[in-house]
Amino acid sequence: MIMQIIYRYDGSFPGFLCCVAQCFFDKSLPAGIEPLDEPQATLFPLREVETDPALAARLERSITGRISRQAWGMVQQGFLTCMEEKEMRLLRFILLGYKVGPQVVRLSTNRDVHAMDKALLYLKNEAHYHVEFLRFTDYGEFLGAVITPNNTVLPLIAPHFCERFNTENFMIYEKTHQMGFLHQRGGRREFFQADSIQFPELLQEEKGFRALWRAYYETAAVEGRVNPKLRRGHMPMRYWPNMTEFQKD
Amino acid sequence: MNLMEKLEILTDAAKYDVACTSSGVNRPGMPGKLGNAVKAGICHSFAADGRCISLLKVLMSNDCAFDCSYCVNRVSQDVKRASFTPEELCRLTIEFYRRNYIEGLFLSSAVVKNPDYTCELMLQTLRMLREKENFWGYVHVKAIPGADPVLTEKLGFYADRMSVNIELPSQKSLKLLAPQKSKEKILAPMGQIRDGIKENATDIVRYKAAPRFVPAGQSTQMIIGATPESDWQILNLTEGLYKKYSLKRVFFSAYMPVVEHRNLPAKTTPPPLLREHRLYQADWLLRFYGFEAREILDDDHPDFDPALDPKCNWAVHHMECFPIEVNRAPYEMLLRVPGIGVKSAMRIRSARRCAQLDFDGLKKLGVVLKRARYFITCKGKSISPLPMDNPAVIAGAIRERGFSQTPIGAPEQLSLFDPTPRDKVQCLTGQI
Ligand code: SF4
């Protein structure tokens, strides 16, 4: 049964899990689930679902126990994707999982499972693009990078950069989702929220290395083989504006 | 000369080298060291020619004492000369790496003074990079033929991958175009590296802390189209190199005429890109599809069909083996069907254990029926729209369409390396 009601939550993952719990209490599906900061564009009545970390934790145990660890992983990562109507799809996925058990992850003929598979692949690929194409700028005290992915890739790529650049202080800011990650030499690391970030001026030395990199990039192409289509295929133009080789200081 | 000028000259001189992959070794990060290495390799950018940029690929120096006629850096050529100091190159590598521009360094060099002296310079650079700067990322270094084996070995302990360029596909061509090089001089370090890797593997079994020697293996490359060898000769050589020297990869580089010389193609000759592409396809068949070189080409058919890829070509010349029944045929035969790749063959093998496959199912498993339909049956049924007893007709049907209009260098010709969504991560480096 579908209720003529929209859940609104704080946009966090635990908040979403509480919406799932709410749906159990109501014993029916809501017409939609939206984050609070979404502009209100519906005539349906709204219900604000409060975020209760203890309830969210219970849901985690329940999903891993009664469906599977893998299904839980898909829900977690699914929440990071930019899939349309993400919350409702995840909710229906969870409900289906309770019905059919662990095999839910393989039901790719189901509309929701199929949509999730696609969205998760996109997330994974976009995360990989950022491992490749993210560019740091050296601000003296720390390395800084700005990215603008469609999916929330930061939690997926942060471990890679922590391992690789354990000797550096660095910060990655995901502008699209106003979320940042900070790593300090020696181990301290944290995610944070910020509406915007003001980076310092470029240092002279930094300008020098940027210019050297651009020169390298330009020179590395073999003239007789210029192939714009192939380049775009490997490196979508969407990511170019954040890449040093395409910027001007 | 400032660093910018040097970088431009020494990048320009190194860019015709095709291999840029950073793959083959997993080296987890280590506290206090800068970097790590991941097995599949990571590309960091793509140049205007669509090729991956993964490593900082430069020459130590282009100030060559040798006189290979196909090369812009030969001593008798009038070009600007430049050399990095080990400090400069080290700094560039580190600063580029920290900014996530690159995966590491690909170092090669012209022969400065003599092979030993050159090797010493490279060794100094790598030692500084690894020991002073604590660099833990990827390093590919090119061995210099003719250098003291002791120096080559030392380089190998700092590098992840080593390569020796075979340069030209035959001894005769070498003699003609690279008088200071010889087959023996090239093959000696190749054999040395192979033996070093083998020996090192047993050392590592014996004691874990043994230093790693060229953990990502060795590769080589040769220039295609500068000399008259046939595709058959080249492929045969390639197969021999894989077998004898346990190489990880053989790369082919279509010759770009950069100098005018009586023994070389005229400067206006376009690089034989399609030929290069066919060679890579055939190389793929050798490495992943269980083909032998002599099945792909032979004395009577020494060159690739420009309009038909080598796998299709083999199939239409062996129609007596087809059609095969997908539900029963051995895996090795599935691999030989045009339109069935390694992945779909594996999927077929596992799917048919549970259920009989039909054509619809095959499509879902990733089989390209457009090509495969001439060669298979499903539960005894065929959907070939053509009679299968005339190879010429089938060859016509699966010929690469519109091929003659395709200008050389069009993207289709590099389709081997085009990413499909699923294969993106594994295939970026053209390497599975
Ligand atoms: S040794 Fe031959 S191929 Fe190598 S840089 Fe010198 S002239 Fe060129």
Side-chain angles (χ1 to χ4, degrees):
Chain A
M1 198 185 81
I2 295 184
M3 274 185 311
Q4 300 299 303
I5 196 169
I6 304 264
Y7 292 167
R8 284 170 78 89
Y9 73 113
D10 64 0
S12 70
F13 186 55
F16 163 70
L17 292 175
C18 292
C19 292
V20 177
Q22 185 64 45
C23 162
F24 283 122
F25 298 140
D26 292 344
K27 291 202 171 49
S28 60
L29 276 178
I33 303 178
E34 288 172 358
L36 280 170
D37 51 15
E38 198 105 311
Q40 219 166 292
T42 168
L43 298 175
F44 289 126
L46 304 171
R47 161 174 299 149
E48 275 200 25
V49 178
E50 236 174 89
T51 302
D52 170 5
L55 184 60
R58 250 172 60 203
L59 223 84
E60 171 177 357
R61 281 194 301 278
S62 159
I63 293 176
T64 44
R66 288 189 41 205
I67 310 177
S68 70
R69 201 145 265 297
Q70 199 190 348
W72 168 250
M74 280 173 73
V75 172
Q76 255 183 327
Q77 293 215 339
F79 192 75
L80 301 176
T81 66
C82 59
M83 171 167 66
E84 250 181 87
E85 289 193 66
K86 153 181 101 179
E87 292 88 350
M88 285 303 289
R89 283 210 191 277
L90 289 172
L91 173 61
R92 287 196 297 263
F93 174 80
I94 294 169
L95 295 179
L96 185 66
Y98 277 117
K99 210 155 83 195
V100 303
Q103 58 152 318
V104 64
V105 300
R106 283 188 305 274
L107 290 184
S108 12
T109 47
N110 174 285
R111 236 166 18 116
D112 295 311
V113 183
H114 180 73
M116 270 179 70
D117 282 344
K118 248 175 72 186
L120 289 172
L121 185 64
Y122 182 21
L123 169 73
K124 194 176 127 207
N125 282 342
E126 195 171 43
H128 189 73
Y129 277 132
H130 283 83
V131 164
E132 302 179 309
F133 306 140
L134 176 145
R135 296 286 181 260
F136 282 113
T137 300
D138 188 351
Y139 291 104
E141 307 275 284
F142 68 101
L143 299 169
V146 176
I147 55 175
T148 47
N150 286 331
N151 299 282
T152 311
V153 298
L154 198 50
L156 269 64
I157 63 173
H160 167 83
F161 289 108
C162 288
E163 179 184 350
R164 172 161 293 198
F165 296 123
N166 71 79
T167 50
E168 304 280 350
N169 297 322
F170 67 83
M171 194 246 281
I172 303 172
Y173 181 59
E174 187 168 311
K175 204 166 160 190
T176 338
H177 305 101
Q178 300 175 335
M179 177 188 196
F181 178 80
L182 200 71
H183 171 276
Q184 275 180 3
R185 206 177 286 139
R188 206 171 80 103
R189 50 187 77 176
E190 64 181 333
F191 288 95
F192 62 88
Q193 297 284 333
D195 293 346
S196 71
I197 281 197
Q198 189 74 46
F199 285 98
E201 290 270 301
L202 289 186
L203 301 170
Q204 217 42 50
E205 193 183 272
E206 171 65 17
K207 284 188 184 159
F209 282 111
R210 291 165 77 91
L212 283 165
W213 172 242
R214 276 178 216 127
Y216 179 75
Y217 179 78
E218 292 301 325
T219 317
V222 175
E223 303 83 1
R225 307 182 67 149
V226 169
N227 191 339
K229 209 169 130 198
L230 188 63
R231 168 164 69 170
R232 284 199 309 270
H234 287 305
M235 184 170 67
M237 287 174 89
R238 242 182 71 55
Y239 303 119
W240 295 14
N242 292 330
M243 296 172 70
T244 316
E245 47 271 51
F246 301 107
Q247 291 168 338
K248 290 200 179 72
D249 296 335
Chain B
M1 188 182 291
N2 68 23
L3 194 53
M4 179 68 93
E5 255 176 291
K6 284 189 186 181
L7 180 63
E8 277 168 353
I9 293 172
L10 294 168
T11 302
D12 199 53
K15 72 183 176 192
Y16 298 102
D17 220 295
V18 272
C20 185
T21 68
S22 55
S23 57
V25 64
N26 252 332
R27 184 173 39 242
M30 188 143 100
K33 301 223 185 223
L34 173 66
N36 61 356
V38 298
K39 184 118 194 182
I42 296 176
C43 297
H44 283 278
S45 195
F46 288 85
D49 55 13
R51 293 189 311 165
C52 149
I53 296 181
S54 181
L55 305 170
L56 171 61
K57 184 165 59 177
V58 289
L59 297 189
M60 189 84 223
S61 166
N62 71 343
D63 197 357
C64 200
F66 282 13
D67 204 26
C68 313
S69 31
Y70 51 84
C71 176
V72 265
N73 299 323
R74 66 186 207 275
V75 62
S76 57
Q77 178 88 349
D78 181 24
V79 291
K80 261 198 182 168
R81 306 285 170 175
S83 304
F84 283 122
T85 65
E87 289 78 12
E88 284 168 336
L89 195 48
C90 211
R91 182 89 201 274
L92 265 179
T93 309
I94 296 287
E95 296 299 337
F96 279 10
Y97 191 86
R98 293 174 66 228
R99 290 165 174 80
N100 209 38
Y101 297 165
I102 53 170
E103 231 9 56
L105 176 64
F106 181 148
L107 183 56
S108 109
S109 184
V111 178
V112 193
K113 293 188 185 147
N114 57 59
D116 281 355
Y117 182 82
T118 314
C119 224
E120 288 280 9
L121 276 178
M122 295 163 85
L123 201 53
Q124 264 183 47
T125 310
L126 296 196
R127 187 180 297 132
M128 188 181 298
L129 205 52
R130 291 288 197 216
E131 287 172 6
K132 195 160 147 262
E133 304 289 340
N134 279 314
F135 180 67
W136 209 229
Y138 197 91
V139 173
H140 179 159
V141 68
K142 196 152 273 185
I144 306 290
D148 186 334
V150 176
L151 295 174
T152 304
E153 178 175 9
K154 279 191 188 160
L155 275 180
F157 279 108
Y158 290 116
D160 291 297
R161 173 165 282 183
M162 270 184 109
S163 57
V164 190
N165 281 1
I166 198 108
E167 308 283 15
L168 296 169
S170 75
Q171 171 83 314
K172 198 167 134 229
S173 298
L174 269 181
K175 230 187 229 134
L176 194 65
L177 296 176
Q180 283 108 326
K181 294 179 182 167
S182 69
K183 194 167 128 202
E184 291 72 30
K185 272 193 189 153
I186 291 171
L187 293 182
M190 215 181 249
Q192 191 200 343
I193 296 167
R194 171 200 59 204
D195 298 340
I197 294 174
K198 239 201 244 148
E199 211 170 287
N200 187 236
T202 50
D203 282 353
I204 285 169
V205 174
R206 254 183 281 147
Y207 53 110
K208 256 230 170 84
R212 301 271 277 150
F213 182 80
V214 197
Q218 67 169 327
S219 63
T220 191
Q221 76 163 337
M222 59 183 104
I223 302 165
I224 303 306
T227 47
E229 289 81 9
S230 67
D231 292 338
W232 162 228
Q233 279 171 300
I234 295 170
L235 198 63
N236 209 7
L237 172 66
T238 305
E239 184 177 62
L241 288 170
Y242 281 127
K243 286 196 178 142
K244 276 198 219 102
Y245 294 95
S246 330
L247 296 188
K248 282 279 192 279
R249 280 298 296 273
V250 175
F251 292 94
F252 309 100
S253 153
Y255 175 66
M256 295 274 291
V258 275
V259 283
E260 207 58 79
H261 190 276
R262 71 196 137 78
N263 290 333
L264 284 168
K267 245 181 139 170
T268 47
T269 320
L273 292 179
L274 179 61
R275 202 176 160 203
E276 178 193 286
H277 178 54
R278 289 277 178 261
L279 279 164
Y280 276 119
Q281 288 179 318
D283 171 78
W284 220 254
L285 294 182
L286 295 182
R287 291 189 299 140
F288 301 115
Y289 287 79
F291 277 83
E292 288 187 31
R294 62 187 161 80
E295 294 180 279
I296 304 171
L297 295 169
D298 54 40
D299 286 333
D300 299 330
H301 309 90
D303 291 304
F304 292 113
D305 184 337
L308 211 53
D309 78 59
K311 193 177 168 189
C312 289
N313 196 40
W314 180 86
V316 295
H317 284 102
H318 292 82
M319 283 315 280
E320 71 280 1
C321 307
F322 299 108
I324 58 160
E325 168 58 44
V326 178
N327 285 295
R328 279 193 315 272
Y331 174 72
E332 297 70 41
M333 272 316 286
L334 289 176
L335 278 180
R336 297 201 167 212
V337 176
I340 299 185
V342 175
K343 275 212 172 118
S344 30
M346 287 199 289
R347 288 197 204 113
I348 291 174
R349 189 170 53 177
S350 78
R352 70 185 179 186
R353 287 200 197 111
C354 314
Q356 289 264 310
L357 297 171
D358 53 21
F359 284 104
D360 220 34
L362 284 186
K363 217 188 232 160
K364 287 214 184 80
L365 295 176
V367 174
V368 184
L369 282 180
K370 219 174 87 187
R371 256 175 289 143
R373 60 187 170 173
Y374 304 108
F375 306 96
I376 53 173
T377 59
C378 254
K379 301 194 213 165
K381 269 203 304 265
S382 161
I383 53 162
S384 168
L386 295 170
M388 299 208 276
D389 47 11
N390 189 345
V393 172
I394 295 193
I398 56 177
R399 207 153 281 260
E400 282 170 28
R401 245 156 260 286
F403 150 78
S404 53
Q405 293 98 304
T406 319
I408 295 293
E412 295 81 278
Q413 292 174 8
L414 284 160
S415 60
L416 207 53
F417 301 106
D418 279 352
T420 57
R422 188 176 290 102
D423 294 348
K424 184 170 157 27
V425 181
Q426 299 95 305
C427 274
L428 267 173
T429 48
Q431 188 151 0
I432 299 182

